[in-house]
């Protein structure tokens, strides 16, 4: 839904006024499973990407907190650790995101994940999978910095003893995701344009060939939609991120608690 709603020059058949209308229209006209198209490639990359992401975050947070605040909870340490972890995560997820978004566009010509990968590789080269990587990082570094700082701040407020408390992890994760998603929507719109290379939109502002670079994407989005263009799909983005970050944090905190408890039991 987010990819469709961020389209800057949508087909008349793919114009939506709200998240609910978009979901209803896609299901009725394109089938029940259409909104989930491309999810398999995301799932394939998500496992290794998140493993590196949380491992790097935990290690760096501890090391930096010890240095900056002598073992205390440092918001600066949380922000830096989250930003560095993002570099590893996005290196894995960026190609998966390119394939997923191309398959989700209206009238997408790709029949499968492999067909999409082969076509993109053949017609645009390997660099096409990383065309939006700098924009992705420019978006995700502030996103993850805001996300981790907000999560740790919320934990301080509702779970000051930092015990395993599923409800507090779900609430903190959802709020952190919503705040970070809303703040970084303009960058996400630019990333979507770079990933999809929306032909109708680019030709309407006389851009031939492929659009590349965050600065060019920012200018193009403004030309096509003005200031409001930067906030296309903000509702869908927040709605998507809230359960996503809530689930990610609750699962992560559960395994952290489970493995720590198991380790202590083995020692005793």
């Amino acid at each position: 839904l987010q990819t469709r709603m961020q389209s800057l020059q949508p087909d008349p058949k793919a114009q939506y006024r709200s998240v609910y209308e978009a979901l209803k229209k896609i299901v009725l006209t394109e089938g029940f499973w259409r909104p989930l198209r491309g999810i398999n490639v995301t799932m394939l990359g998500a496992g290794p990407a998140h493993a590196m992401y949380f491992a790097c975050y935990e290690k760096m947070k501890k090391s930096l907190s010890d240095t900056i605040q002598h073992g205390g909870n440092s918001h600066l340490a949380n922000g830096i650790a989250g930003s560095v972890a993002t570099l590893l995560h996005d290196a894995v997820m960026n190609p998966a995101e390119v394939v997923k978004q191309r398959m989700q566009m209206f009238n997408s010509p790709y029949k499968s994940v492999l067909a999409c990968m082969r076509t993109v590789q053949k017609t645009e080269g390997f660099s096409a999978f990383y065309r939006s990587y700098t924009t992705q990082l420019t978006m995700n570094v502030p996103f993850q910095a805001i996300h981790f700082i907000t999560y740790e701040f919320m934990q301080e407020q509702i779970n000051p003893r930092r015990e395993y408390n599923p409800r507090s992890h779900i609430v903190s994760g959802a709020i952190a995701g919503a705040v970070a998603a809303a703040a970084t929507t303009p960058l996400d719109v630019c990333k979507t344009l770079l990933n999809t290379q929306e032909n109708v939109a680019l030709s309407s502002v006389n851009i031939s060939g492929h659009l590349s670079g965050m600065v060019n994407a920012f200018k193009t989005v403004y030309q096509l939609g003005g200031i409001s263009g930067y906030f296309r799909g903000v509702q869908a983005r927040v709605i998507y991120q809230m359960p996503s970050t809530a689930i990610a944090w609750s699962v992560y905190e559960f395994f952290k608690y489970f493995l720590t408890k198991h380790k202590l039991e083995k020692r005793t």
Side-chain angles (χ1 to χ4, degrees), residues 31-175:
F32 181 77
W33 297 108
R34 192 64 176 85
L36 297 176
R37 198 156 188 246
I39 197 170
N40 49 349
V41 72
T42 305
M43 288 170 70
L44 197 67
H50 277 78
M52 290 191 292
Y53 174 70
F54 279 115
C56 177
Y57 172 70
E58 202 61 46
K59 180 69 179 171
M60 282 206 71
K61 181 181 80 166
K62 191 176 184 302
S63 302
L64 289 170
S65 289
D66 287 342
T67 306
I68 298 168
Q69 214 163 302
H70 305 293
N73 180 39
S74 164
H75 292 308
L76 179 61
N78 298 335
I80 294 170
S83 300
V84 175
T86 303
L87 297 174
L88 293 174
H89 175 271
D90 286 1
V92 176
M93 287 305 293
N94 206 85
E97 186 77 0
V98 171
V99 174
K100 184 197 78 171
Q101 290 196 312
R102 291 202 181 211
M103 291 186 73
Q104 288 176 341
M105 289 298 286
F106 182 73
N107 275 341
S108 173
Y110 311 108
K111 302 295 179 190
S112 68
V113 167
L114 277 175
C116 181
M117 288 171 71
R118 285 197 195 109
T119 306
V120 172
Q121 162 70 31
K122 193 176 175 181
T123 57
E124 299 175 48
F126 182 75
S127 62
F129 294 109
Y130 284 93
R131 195 176 281 132
S132 66
Y133 186 55
T134 51
T135 304
Q136 179 91 336
L137 287 178
T138 309
M139 177 186 75
N140 277 355
V141 166
F143 176 92
Q144 297 302 353
I146 295 165
H147 171 206
F148 282 110
I149 289 168
T150 308
Y151 179 81
E152 299 287 358
F153 173 78
M154 288 302 301
Q155 283 291 284
E156 279 181 351
Q157 306 308 307
I158 62 178
N159 186 18
R161 294 176 68 184
R162 303 311 292 265
E163 296 170 335
Y164 175 63
N165 182 332
R167 188 179 295 175
S168 83
H169 302 316
I170 290 168
V171 171
S172 298
I175 292 171

Side-chain angles (χ1 to χ4, degrees), residues 253-265:
E253 294 282 7
F254 168 75
F255 279 104
K256 187 177 164 184
Y257 165 74
F258 176 77
L259 293 170
T260 306
K261 188 184 173 188
H262 183 66
K263 203 173 179 182
L264 285 170
E265 282 172 356

Side-chain angles (χ1 to χ4, degrees), residues 16 83 128 152 160 172 192 223 266:
Y16 317 110
S83 300
E152 299 287 358
S172 298
T192 297
Q223 278 179 282
K266 276 184 79 177

